């Protein structure tokens, strides 16, 4: 008798670092800080075969980058946004997800690589949204 498995699990998030950008805008300079965490989704696939037959049991994983952006313009304006860059890396390992956690964590680290690069890409993808938010801001107050 074989058992079909299709469970999906989300592993603990791993901090991915930070990225900062200063945007020059007509309303005034804005500091945007991006913080990220890598979240890994595990999906158990395949079947357990009876003795003497090959098993098709595999753990497929996908890494996503969860990003939190906090932007400030001096002391008078601040706003934030959270978003996800899906599928920054993926892979699979034979066997049970629960017994492969450490090996999968090493695979994720190797395939995701430089998390700073992924955060910089996320900041670039966020730029049109950040610009639209900045366009809605009133001009900066003069401190003179």
């Amino acid at each position: 008798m074989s058992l079909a498995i299709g469970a999906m699990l989300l592993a603990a998030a791993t901090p991915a670092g930070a990225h900062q950008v200063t945007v020059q805008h007509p309303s005034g300079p804005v500091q945007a800080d991006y913080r990220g965490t890598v979240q890994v989704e595990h999906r158990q696939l395949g079947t357990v075969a009876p003795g003497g037959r090959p098993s098709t049991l595999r753990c497929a994983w996908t890494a996503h980058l969860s990003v939190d952006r906090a932007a400030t313009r001096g002391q008078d304006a601040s706003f934030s946004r959270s978003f996800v860059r899906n599928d920054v890396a993926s892979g699979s390992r034979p066997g049970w997800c629960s017994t492969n956690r450490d090996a999968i964590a090493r695979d994720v680290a190797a395939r995701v690589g430089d998390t700073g690069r992924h955060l910089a890409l996320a900041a670039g993808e966020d730029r049109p949204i950040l610009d639209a938010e900045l366009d809605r801001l009133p001009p900066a107050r003069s401190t003179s």
Side-chain angles (χ1 to χ4, degrees), residues 57-137:
L57 203 57
R58 297 195 70 68
C59 180
W61 59 265
T62 305
H64 309 286
L65 182 65
S66 178
V67 181
D68 294 314
R69 184 247 295 148
T72 56
R73 181 184 68 185
Q75 305 249 338
D76 70 336
S78 65
F79 41 98
S80 60
R81 175 174 181 249
S82 295
F83 58 98
V84 175
R85 286 195 81 226
N86 288 314
D87 200 11
V88 294
S90 60
S92 71
R93 284 204 160 252
W96 293 101
C97 291
S98 59
T99 58
N100 277 311
R101 298 282 176 171
D102 292 340
I104 290 170
R106 287 189 300 274
D107 289 350
V108 169
R111 292 207 183 136
V112 168
D114 180 14
T115 55
R117 181 179 65 87
H118 288 287
L119 276 171
L121 290 170
E125 292 168 0
D126 182 55
R127 184 61 189 266
I129 296 163
L130 178 59
D131 286 341
E133 290 174 350
L134 295 174
D135 289 343
R136 291 191 294 267
L137 286 176

